[in-house]
Amino acid sequence: MELQGHERCVSKVPIFSHLEMDELEEVFQRINHQSMKKGEYLFMAGDRSSSLFVIHKGKVRIYRLNDNGEEQLIRVLTHSDFTGELSLFSVDEESKSYAEVLEDAEVCRINREDIYGLMQKYPDISIKIIESFAERLNDSESLTTNISLLNSREKLIEYIRTHTKNDKLVLTMTKKNLASYLSMQPETLTRTFKKLENESVIKKINNKSYDILK
């Protein structure tokens, strides 16, 4: 049996990717599909969600607001990325984040009760979820450290270092969102990119791509 469409999306999610074909089909049978427009929200701060959301198509950004009402971007989700995992274990906990659709999206939603049933039947799913928690906790701690200790140049250099492949940086988000992610003003990010170009650290190919020279 060959998986199609949304099923292939589920098969690429780390917490399900180890399952056999018939097991993936069982996961797929428990999924609700949603089509969402740009500007809509999967959830907002204050919501009580009990679902895991998997992005099949489109882009979704996860962000929070600080005490001054300023946005702090957490991550941008694309095909096969997921969010809402904390709600699986925090019953009636209010969300502290917003999940905004950046591009028209197709989303797979799995309810807490169905996830629990799958975890009981396939214990390896629990292990994969714990691994994803650990990875995202590490990312969150690294981001917090960068925001509090590094200056603008150091933040961008660190981002380039961790996102460069084959001596090339390809931005997966707009520079406005990247500035939010790195906790700096867009104008500061633009100046910092320009400084690195002038220092021959990077070479601009287009607005999304850079060659890394050093």
Side-chain angles (χ1 to χ4, degrees):
M1 177 179 60
E2 181 181 354
L3 295 177
Q4 301 293 327
H6 292 82
E7 294 137 300
R8 286 200 303 271
C9 171
V10 171
S11 71
K12 293 182 180 180
V13 177
I15 60 176
F16 300 130
S17 59
H18 62 290
L19 297 177
E20 299 295 331
M21 196 73 71
D22 58 334
E23 297 168 343
L24 284 170
E25 176 63 22
E26 183 175 348
V27 174
F28 178 69
Q29 294 302 324
R30 304 188 186 210
I31 283 176
N32 297 301
H33 309 297
Q34 294 177 258
S35 294
M36 305 193 68
K37 296 294 184 181
K38 177 180 178 180
E40 294 183 332
Y41 286 80
L42 297 181
F43 54 82
M44 303 178 71
D47 288 350
R48 287 184 170 86
S49 176
S50 60
S51 299
L52 181 74
F53 299 92
V54 181
I55 310 306
H56 177 53
K57 291 182 180 179
K59 288 185 179 180
V60 175
R61 69 170 182 148
I62 309 299
Y63 69 92
R64 292 188 176 188
L65 298 180
N66 63 22
D67 292 339
N68 296 322
E70 299 170 332
E71 292 183 6
Q72 173 62 60
L73 183 68
I74 307 300
R75 63 178 63 90
V76 174
L77 308 178
T78 57
H79 175 64
S80 81
D81 289 332
F82 60 94
T83 188
E85 66 275 17
L86 290 177
S87 69
L88 300 179
F89 304 100
S90 304
V91 180
D92 291 331
E93 182 82 10
E94 290 186 357
S95 173
K96 296 179 175 61
S97 303
Y98 297 80
E100 180 189 9
V101 178
L102 292 178
E103 298 176 359
D104 288 357
E106 292 184 18
V107 179
C108 306
R109 180 170 57 85
I110 312 176
N111 292 326
R112 179 190 292 129
E113 293 76 12
D114 290 324
I115 286 287
Y116 281 8
L118 290 167
M119 289 167 61
Q120 291 172 347
K121 191 169 183 179
Y122 307 113
D124 281 354
I125 291 179
S126 302
I127 296 174
K128 294 293 184 180
I129 289 177
I130 292 172
E131 289 175 348
S132 76
F133 279 177
E135 181 179 350
R136 290 190 173 184
L137 178 60
N138 181 64
D139 290 344
S140 178
E141 289 179 344
S142 296
L143 178 61
T144 300
T145 299
N146 289 345
I147 289 173
S148 60
L149 299 179
L150 304 182
N151 61 36
S152 298
R153 186 181 190 280
E154 292 168 338
K155 289 177 187 178
L156 183 53
I157 288 289
E158 179 63 14
Y159 180 85
I160 290 172
R161 185 188 69 80
T162 56
H163 290 79
T164 292
K165 294 183 179 179
N166 299 320
D167 295 324
K168 188 178 296 293
L169 172 69
V170 178
L171 300 180
T172 58
M173 63 183 81
T174 65
K175 286 185 177 176
K176 180 180 178 181
N177 281 329
L178 178 58
S180 174
Y181 181 75
L182 296 176
S183 193
M184 65 174 78
Q185 294 298 317
E187 298 81 5
T188 303
L189 179 66
T190 298
R191 287 196 300 270
T192 308
F193 263 112
K194 192 63 179 178
K195 286 180 182 179
L196 295 182
E197 289 181 60
N198 293 337
E199 295 169 9
S200 296
V201 175
I202 60 177
K203 180 181 179 181
K204 184 176 180 178
I205 301 173
N206 53 50
N207 285 334
K208 289 282 188 177
S209 304
Y210 293 83
D211 283 328
I212 309 305
L213 305 178
K214 293 182 181 180

